[in-house]
Amino acid sequence: MSGGADSDLRNIAILGSTGSIGVQALDVIRSNPDKFRVETLTANAQADKLIAQAIEFNPNAVVIADDSKYLQVKEALAGKDIKVFAGKKALASIVESGETDIVLNALVGYSGLEPTLRAIRAGKPIALANKETLVVAGELVNRELEINRVAMLPVDSEHSAIFQCLTGEFHNPIECIYLTASGGPFRGKTRQELEQVTFRQALKHPNWDMGAKITIDSSTLMNKGFEVIEAKWLFGLQPEQIKVVVHPQSIIHSVVQFTDGSMKAQMGLPDMKLPIQYALGYPNRIPSDFPRFNFMQYPNLSFEEPDRENFPCLDLAFEAMNIGGNAACRLNAANEIAVQAFLQEKIDFLKIPHILSYCLEHGTQISNPSYEDYVQTDEETRRLAIEMTGTN
Ligand code: MG
């Protein structure tokens, strides 16, 4: 990842280039043509957006996961020196391409797991925005990272904050970390009020501009729960070392407390481009013209306890972590189904934690799961969760 002047240009493969993180990563790359080059772009189904990105960034290859859009992309890029592939298999194997220096995994959900594992086995460093990779199979992923001596750089803003606080401190033991949470759009609502909320209200996040799935996860605090699990695997922490504090302004992105009691925090305006750029440029900080924080505009930074009673998803994550094995894989699969059902107005907001809790308790528990065990757990739990979305 470093070397002479020529090799400082990093070839980036972006998985999920048409999503929120993918688009912001391309903003970063556009502003730094001397640092980054796009090697691969992949999209699920947004063919028009993928075509426009490919024409602008001229990657070596593009993948459209939706097979039915293959001809459209192929024809639009005819005459350009860009390879076009289609299908989920192509998406998972494209990360193995020899020219790629870093894989930015910005896929949503469980679908990010296989490409992550293939990239690791191909020796490619991962910039990880797909937290579900670690939620579902953190144990397996860590083992593969170790065997293949591959680096994983967090893109999630809280984990980027912790990572930045640890730079130069990796030899020093951590007492605990504080993951900050905005509290989401429903912070302070009573249970009665939560019975009535709609997915349109849930999609209005107060601070962060993100995709639909993660925005719903933020509204239930499942996102914060997943981030707790993600932190455990990224930083080798015990569950009791991971604390969550609500900080509605989202200026302090997270905090590390060392064993001498000293605390380091990373701060800034909430903008995902910063953690994306830090991961892609690590260990270097690249100058940017992102808006700067002004203390006088935020005279009061405030903190409060998360509402664990009305937002039980946070504790479900701790429960899954304590059970171990494939438990968090069940939690994630149930959540993907429940969030989708909520977005389609098939279930109410409060049914989401209900489905998650049921699937966590009732699935088959496996300790030391293999990749095949995770695949099976995911399928089995989805079936169970789908059954539950149809009942009241
Ligand atoms: Mg986050």
Side-chain angles (χ1 to χ4, degrees):
M1 276 173 51
S2 63
D6 289 347
S7 60
D8 282 350
L9 190 66
R10 291 181 181 176
N11 294 312
I12 315 289
I14 305 182
L15 308 184
S17 65
T18 57
S20 173
I21 294 285
V23 166
Q24 294 180 80
L26 288 172
D27 287 342
V28 168
I29 293 172
R30 187 185 291 112
S31 303
N32 295 282
D34 56 328
K35 305 255 183 338
F36 306 119
R37 210 199 116 253
V38 177
E39 169 67 18
T40 308
L41 296 171
T42 86
N44 188 31
Q46 295 190 68
D48 292 333
K49 215 163 166 182
L50 179 67
I51 290 163
Q53 291 176 341
I55 289 170
E56 180 183 352
F57 290 94
N58 196 33
N60 183 36
V62 299
V63 182
I64 182 93
D66 180 346
D67 290 299
S68 71
K69 307 275 174 74
Y70 173 71
L71 277 181
Q72 183 193 344
V73 178
K74 180 85 185 158
E75 280 166 18
L77 299 179
K80 304 216 170 280
D81 193 15
I82 302 174
K83 298 185 196 89
V84 179
F85 302 101
K88 293 202 161 64
K89 277 190 182 144
L91 195 154
S93 61
I94 198 76
V95 296
E96 295 164 353
S97 146
E99 301 297 316
T100 301
D101 294 315
I102 305 177
V103 175
L104 171 61
N105 185 340
L107 297 170
V108 177
Y110 174 86
S111 65
L113 176 59
E114 194 193 350
T116 299
L117 289 171
R118 304 224 1 199
I120 295 170
R121 287 172 190 151
K124 310 291 183 190
I126 317 276
L128 188 75
N130 173 252
K131 71 191 75 186
E132 293 89 344
T133 281
L134 286 175
V135 170
V136 169
E139 207 169 356
L140 172 68
V141 170
N142 270 1
R143 202 156 57 227
E144 292 289 334
L145 287 170
E146 203 170 318
I147 292 169
N148 295 284
R149 296 174 175 276
V150 166
M152 180 169 267
L153 302 154
V155 171
D156 210 345
S157 62
E158 295 79 0
H159 305 74
S160 176
I162 302 287
F163 188 67
Q164 292 180 56
C165 292
L166 289 175
T167 300
E169 301 268 13
F170 287 102
H171 58 292
N172 281 323
I174 297 170
E175 189 164 274
C176 67
I177 64 167
Y178 291 88
L179 294 177
T180 52
S182 70
F186 301 146
R187 181 175 65 91
K189 285 209 187 301
T190 63
R191 194 177 165 82
Q192 257 176 336
E193 289 168 323
L194 289 176
E195 280 172 9
Q196 313 293 334
V197 297
T198 65
F199 78 92
R200 284 187 188 82
Q201 292 170 289
L203 285 175
K204 290 198 183 104
H205 195 279
N207 302 337
W208 295 97
D209 177 16
M210 305 178 292
K213 198 261 178 181
I214 186 173
T215 306
I216 300 298
D217 286 347
S218 296
S219 76
T220 60
L221 291 196
M222 189 70 267
N223 181 57
K224 204 52 54 182
F226 285 162
E227 290 181 353
V228 168
I229 301 174
E230 184 185 10
K232 169 193 159 79
W233 296 118
L234 277 172
F235 305 114
L237 299 169
Q238 297 301 314
E240 56 275 14
Q241 288 177 289
I242 308 170
K243 326 253 184 220
V244 173
V245 61
V246 173
H247 166 44
Q249 297 82 16
S250 297
I251 296 299
I252 295 180
H253 299 316
S254 279
V255 179
V256 178
Q257 182 172 312
F258 294 94
T259 46
D260 61 356
S262 180
M263 300 165 92
K264 279 170 84 174
Q266 189 265 338
M267 299 171 61
L269 292 172
D271 181 348
M272 283 308 297
K273 285 201 282 293
L274 192 51
I276 292 168
Q277 176 173 298
Y278 188 76
L280 296 182
Y282 180 81
N284 303 314
R285 290 191 184 273
I286 300 169
S288 84
D289 58 2
F290 305 152
R292 275 16 181 192
F293 175 75
N294 179 336
F295 280 91
M296 298 315 130
Q297 283 172 1
Y298 292 87
N300 298 297
L301 295 182
S302 61
F303 305 94
E304 54 193 70
E305 287 284 353
D307 179 352
R308 291 171 182 266
E309 215 165 295
N310 285 322
F311 299 89
C313 290
L314 180 58
D315 281 339
L316 289 176
F318 277 96
E319 196 183 325
M321 198 162 45
N322 286 323
I323 299 170
N326 63 339
C329 177
R330 291 202 298 281
L331 186 64
N332 178 72
N335 185 58
E336 289 191 25
I337 296 297
V339 168
Q340 199 180 18
F342 177 63
L343 284 169
Q344 294 168 344
E345 298 186 288
K346 286 182 186 160
I347 59 167
D348 294 336
F349 185 75
L350 291 176
K351 185 83 187 264
I352 299 175
H354 179 68
I355 292 174
L356 271 51
S357 170
Y358 188 89
C359 291
L360 185 58
E361 304 304 330
H362 290 82
T364 314
Q365 177 63 25
I366 303 169
S367 45
N368 288 314
S370 65
Y371 177 70
E372 290 70 29
D373 291 327
Y374 286 121
V375 173
Q376 206 180 339
T377 300
D378 181 71
E379 283 173 9
E380 182 187 297
T381 311
R382 279 167 196 266
R383 276 198 297 274
L384 183 59
I386 286 168
E387 273 173 40
M388 292 193 71
T389 60
T391 61
N392 273 308

